[in-house]
Amino acid sequence: KIMPGITLGDTVPNLEVETTHKNFKLHDYFADSWTVLFSHPGDFTPVCTTELGAMGKYAHEFEQRGVKLLGLSCDDIQSHKDWIPDIEAFTPGSKVTYPIIADPNKEIIPQLNMIDPIENGPSRALHIVGPDCKIKLSFLYPSTTGRNMDEVLRALDSLLMAAKHKNKIATPVNWKPDEPVVISPAVSDEEAKKLFPQGFKTAELPSKKGYLRVADVS
Ligand code: BEZ
């Protein structure tokens, strides 16, 4: 089955959206920063209430990184506004400071590839969008599985780290900021010596191929 719709590297369509803050065109919101755009099946539902609460609690982490949040839920603005006190009450310390897009007729989610093809309905999709309005990372979870916001932050930190190093580095399994990174296979040892004057370690592996090079960039 072929999944239709926008994916990594595609430009998010410049839709005019109605939100709990004001109405805007998506590209105006994305301009000059990274954005985490995340969808929810509907208001006043249990998993969504916990997820939006967690995002509200983590909002300062995204702010510190200069990254914007933008939620979407498949109900109207009045419903979103009525729901926010529940979200904040259920997750102590959470403030829903980010805008939530209204999509009561489910017209926006297909255009943003935020559909669950098994249910043929709304999903828990999440796109990390770069300042160029292109999708850099996507998650697609079914409505029955709440996302892990620590992983969203971790993946975002990886994207920011790779971008800072012009994708000459990558981050290994379970990487966290301050941990060593690996050098991209596209970078020769000669270039790596210039890029990482502090040095790097090449893992000694049975194949003797020196492809796993670890550098400390913190
Ligand atoms: C929820 O947010 O809990 C939910 C929403 C739609 C379907 C199932 C669960």
Side-chain angles (χ1 to χ4, degrees), residues 41-42 44-49 51 124 143-144:
F44 300 101
T45 53
V47 179
C48 298
T49 302
E51 288 192 317
R124 300 184 193 286
S143 57
T144 46

Side-chain angles (χ1 to χ4, degrees), residues 133-205:
C133 302
K134 291 188 173 160
I135 298 181
K136 308 296 178 184
L137 179 146
S138 270
F139 291 164
L140 185 62
Y141 280 37
S143 57
T144 46
T145 303
R147 286 157 285 193
N148 182 328
M149 299 311 174
D150 287 319
E151 173 57 9
V152 174
L153 205 52
R154 194 198 71 83
L156 174 66
D157 281 333
S158 167
L159 289 171
L160 296 176
M161 178 63 93
K164 183 175 153 195
H165 291 275
K166 301 190 168 52
N167 287 353
K168 306 264 179 185
I169 62 103
T171 66
V173 63
N174 297 341
W175 175 87
K176 292 263 178 63
D178 300 333
E179 292 180 1
V181 300
V182 296
I183 299 172
S184 165
V187 176
S188 67
D189 277 350
E190 289 63 44
E191 190 184 1
K193 280 178 200 150
K194 286 187 204 130
L195 289 173
F196 306 100
Q198 71 280 27
F200 58 89
K201 280 201 186 117
T202 303
E204 286 184 24
L205 299 171

Side-chain angles (χ1 to χ4, degrees), residues 6 12 17 31 33 39 41 45 48 56 58 66 70 78 90 104 111 116 123-124 141 143 149 153 159 172 206:
I6 53 170
V12 177
V17 292
S33 84
S39 69
T45 53
C48 298
Y58 281 48
L70 180 56
Q78 191 54 50
F90 185 78
Q111 299 181 69
D116 174 343
S123 66
R124 300 184 193 286
Y141 280 37
S143 57
M149 299 311 174
L153 205 52
L159 289 171

Side-chain angles (χ1 to χ4, degrees), residues 1 23 51 65 68 88 103 105 120 122 127 151 155 217:
K1 189 167 170 181
N23 302 348
E51 288 192 317
R65 291 159 173 80
K68 292 176 188 155
E88 293 178 346
D103 190 18
N105 301 318
N120 195 22
H127 300 310
E151 173 57 9
V217 291

